Amino acid sequence: MFSRKVSVVVTVVVVALVTVGLVASALPVFAGPASAALPAHAQLVSTSPEDGATVPTAEQVVLTFSEDVNEQFLQVRVTGPGGTETDGAPQVKGTKVTQRLVRGLAAGEHAVTFRVVSVDGHPVSGTLTFTTTRAGAGEGATTPTTPAATGGSTTPTPSQTPTPSSTPTPSSTPTTGATAREEEQEDDQPDRLLMSRLARH
């Protein structure tokens, strides 16, 4: 009687162990396809400029993700020495997001903040930085103006015309020698007439 009970217990234990083993071996078979069917979340693969890079200047920022992103829920912000430095809305082409930067980008450190939503609805966000060593060409950059050389010598400014001095008043006209002789002859005329009359008598 006792031996029969022991044999029943042993049989139950063996069946239970076999059942557990079969279930454990079957789990990977069913779990494998189910895991493969689930879509992976989008991840940032690369950036241009790279995070922490130092470049002469930049005209745009390109973010590349592991899968396509939804352009309706896309946000990209770039800030730096010039304040907000984005030019227009970001453009999406497959897995790439391109954000143009303002012309004449100021030299210094720039921070890129992004938030995208993958095709499965999972949001992905992050921040990266890069540094530019010189200002880009455009509105922000100033080009010194060099005056063109002019041929020939510089025309001198004419000096002021001197004011003529006052015309001197002419002095009295002196008495000439001829006038003096005429006066002497007039004085001698009466004497000559007297001598002429005496000679006649």
Side-chain angles (χ1 to χ4, degrees):
M1 187 74 179
F2 178 75
S3 61
R4 185 177 295 179
K5 291 181 178 180
V6 172
S7 62
V8 172
V9 172
V10 172
T11 302
V12 172
V13 171
V14 172
V15 173
L17 292 175
V18 172
T19 303
V20 171
L22 292 174
V23 173
S25 62
L27 284 176
V29 177
F30 295 100
S35 301
L38 292 176
H41 299 316
Q43 295 180 353
L44 183 63
V45 176
S46 63
T47 65
S48 177
E50 296 182 355
D51 186 16
T54 298
V55 295
T57 188
E59 297 181 354
Q60 62 185 17
V61 173
V62 180
L63 308 175
T64 304
F65 295 88
S66 58
E67 64 178 60
D68 294 350
V69 296
N70 192 333
E71 61 182 351
Q72 295 181 355
F73 304 99
L74 177 61
Q75 297 178 3
V76 179
R77 186 184 182 199
V78 183
T79 57
T84 301
E85 299 172 332
T86 54
D87 183 12
Q91 303 297 319
V92 179
K93 187 175 182 180
T95 61
K96 292 183 180 295
V97 176
T98 302
Q99 175 63 66
R100 291 195 60 80
L101 304 177
V102 294
R103 298 181 61 187
L105 186 70
E109 186 178 69
H110 311 272
V112 181
T113 303
F114 64 89
R115 187 180 187 277
V116 301
V117 177
S118 60
V119 291
D120 65 345
H122 181 74
V124 180
S125 61
T127 302
L128 62 100
T129 60
F130 67 92
T131 303
T132 54
T133 57
R134 61 179 175 83
E139 298 176 359
T142 56
T143 304
T145 304
T146 303
T150 305
S153 59
T154 306
T155 305
T157 304
S159 58
Q160 296 182 352
T161 304
T163 304
S165 58
S166 303
T167 304
T169 303
S171 57
S172 302
T173 304
T175 304
T176 60
T179 304
R181 286 194 295 272
E182 290 176 358
E183 292 179 352
E184 291 178 355
Q185 290 177 0
E186 290 178 357
D187 294 339
D188 294 342
Q189 239 176 355
D191 296 337
R192 291 178 182 175
L193 291 175
L194 179 61
M195 291 177 65
S196 176
R197 289 177 181 174
L198 292 175
R200 288 179 185 176
H201 292 292

